[in-house]
Amino acid sequence: GDVTACEEITDEFTKEPCMIEVAKVKQDKAVCDKISEEYNRNQCLKGVAVAKQDGTICSEIKAESTLELFGNTKDECFREVALAKNDENLCQQVENDDVKNWCLASFEKTEESCNKIQDASMKLDCLILVAEETQDVSICENIVSLGKKDECFRKVAFVMKDKAICEKILDGYTKDSCSWDIDYGFIE
């Protein structure tokens, strides 16, 4: 929890992630101002916003770096704060339609709401989240991507503590570790 320890680190690839963690733990966005690289600074602001459940901090995120064009940190910030605060209205602050739909789907918890998302990766992550939260294995069965389908079954199995769901997993290692984790209490 002491940022001065992070500031003594000479390696930038270690220093800034250290500062991000301190900022989140201390819920202190002033620490983020000490971070020079914009993407890391934005990740720091997002972490503090989520920790404090304060959407106004998300508004301070700037999208000027090349990494930020792909990251969409500001919209992700509003989505994550909305979930942490359980405030669906914050989803309206999201500019990107796919992220906004994912945000809204997190509250509606329906397969149909996830299917409004155009971005394939976000859609799959949304479906997995909804399946996990609603404990609806049928959502997993409709996922086409084998890796994501297995991930979905694993997460629902963990939530339900049901090894029978693990048997639906195609990847042998994932199937075995799913059952083992449930047996030995290593449930996420």
Side-chain angles (χ1 to χ4, degrees):
D2 182 5
V3 76
T4 55
C6 298
E7 291 172 334
E8 292 178 17
I9 298 171
T10 55
D11 176 38
E12 289 300 317
F13 291 108
T14 309
K15 181 180 190 171
E16 292 189 350
C18 176
M19 294 171 80
I20 291 169
E21 290 307 310
V22 170
K24 286 194 275 189
V25 169
K26 302 286 266 183
Q27 297 184 9
D28 183 3
K29 72 183 185 84
V31 174
C32 301
D33 295 333
K34 297 178 179 189
I35 296 175
S36 58
E37 203 281 312
E38 184 194 52
Y39 181 77
N40 285 339
R41 182 179 176 281
N42 288 346
Q43 293 302 311
C44 183
L45 288 170
K46 179 176 83 168
V48 173
V50 173
K52 289 181 84 167
Q53 298 184 7
D54 182 355
T56 60
I57 296 172
C58 298
S59 301
E60 297 178 35
I61 294 174
K62 295 180 182 78
E64 296 167 359
S65 74
T66 309
L67 272 176
E68 202 53 56
L69 296 174
F70 301 105
N72 225 337
T73 306
K74 185 182 220 173
D75 285 344
E76 285 295 324
C77 182
F78 281 118
R79 185 183 73 81
E80 290 180 28
V81 172
L83 294 174
K85 200 172 177 177
N86 199 24
D87 182 359
E88 186 175 352
N89 294 325
L90 280 172
C91 296
Q92 298 308 320
Q93 299 290 320
V94 177
E95 293 174 11
N96 178 287
D97 287 338
D98 281 343
V99 179
K100 183 182 284 188
N101 285 331
W102 187 10
C103 187
L104 293 168
S106 301
F107 289 95
E108 295 167 13
K109 293 179 178 47
T110 65
E111 188 173 358
E112 295 75 31
S113 57
C114 291
N115 285 327
K116 294 177 186 172
I117 300 169
Q118 298 299 311
D119 180 271
S121 179
M122 271 189 226
K123 182 185 290 188
L124 292 172
D125 288 341
C126 179
L127 289 167
I128 292 168
L129 177 75
V130 169
E132 185 178 17
E133 291 193 5
T134 61
Q135 299 180 11
D136 185 350
V137 179
S138 69
I139 294 173
C140 302
E141 290 166 350
N142 293 329
I143 293 176
V144 179
S145 165
L146 294 180
K148 290 291 187 176
K149 181 180 269 195
D150 284 354
E151 179 184 343
C152 186
F153 284 135
R154 185 178 61 81
K155 287 190 173 192
V156 174
F158 284 172
V159 170
M160 298 178 72
K161 297 179 179 73
D162 184 350
K163 290 192 319 185
I165 297 170
C166 297
E167 292 304 312
K168 295 176 178 281
I169 296 172
L170 293 176
D171 178 71
Y173 175 79
T174 305
K175 182 189 294 189
D176 292 344
S177 67
C178 177
S179 296
W180 193 86
D181 289 347
I182 290 172
D183 278 345
Y184 294 97
F186 293 111
I187 297 176
E188 295 178 341

